[in-house]
Amino acid sequence: MNAIALKSFDPIIPTEKESVQAQQSSRVLARYLKAHGTEPVELAEPSHPDQRITLPAAALRLLVDILTQMAQGNAVTLIPVHAELTTQEAADLLNVSRPYLVQLLEAGKIPHRKVGTRRRVLFRDLMRYKSVEDEARLKALDALAEQGQKLDMGY
């Protein structure tokens, strides 16, 4: 697997072989998760049954989600919610240009702080903004669909 950079949020892009391995692994771990619910899961390596590892259920759910995404060939990255992002990293996560993101910051739509002349955005603040915007988009789409129904536009 690709090396994971601890300070960078570069995505891990799985190879085809890794995608197949991830699919198999996610299925096995999902069965463990289903069987144990919210209880921790204890795993042992077959060649060393005396060496066990206990995974919290939340960590197992996260691992299954990561493996599922990798199985689909999607790039994966982990970002702690308290992480501070550069404006470029934040823009990349929102799939917008950096200048547009800076406009959002300057307009006060996303909280940020300055470190010298550089702006930093907390990941949790960025996700909160994204959630609000996604909800507003869905409401607008619902309104458009309703209007289309009333006008008998065929969709």
Side-chain angles (χ1 to χ4, degrees), residues 14 16 33-34 56-58 63 70 77 95 106 130 132 139:
E16 193 171 320
L33 190 58
K34 186 175 182 181
L63 190 52
M70 289 179 70
T77 189
N95 201 26
E106 294 302 318
K130 184 180 182 316
V132 168
K139 284 181 182 177

Side-chain angles (χ1 to χ4, degrees), residues 14-24 67 70-73:
T15 64
E16 193 171 320
K17 181 179 177 183
E18 289 171 334
S19 290
V20 170
Q21 291 169 336
Q23 183 178 35
Q24 294 165 348
L67 290 169
M70 289 179 70
Q72 295 171 359

Side-chain angles (χ1 to χ4, degrees), residues 75-143:
V76 177
T77 189
L78 284 177
I79 302 174
V81 293
H82 64 276
E84 283 192 320
L85 307 173
T86 65
T87 52
Q88 187 61 61
E89 290 167 337
D92 289 347
L93 283 171
L94 291 180
N95 201 26
V96 298
S97 70
R98 194 188 68 74
Y100 179 73
L101 178 86
V102 169
Q103 286 178 356
L104 294 173
L105 299 178
E106 294 302 318
K109 294 186 177 184
I110 303 172
H112 70 286
R113 72 181 187 109
K114 279 198 167 184
V115 179
T117 60
R118 311 262 185 208
R119 294 172 188 86
R120 295 290 182 259
V121 180
L122 286 175
F123 177 74
R124 69 172 165 249
D125 291 335
L126 190 69
M127 291 298 99
R128 193 174 299 126
Y129 169 81
K130 184 180 182 316
S131 176
V132 168
E133 288 298 305
D134 287 349
E135 189 175 317
R137 270 189 212 98
L138 286 175
K139 284 181 182 177
L141 285 172
D142 286 344

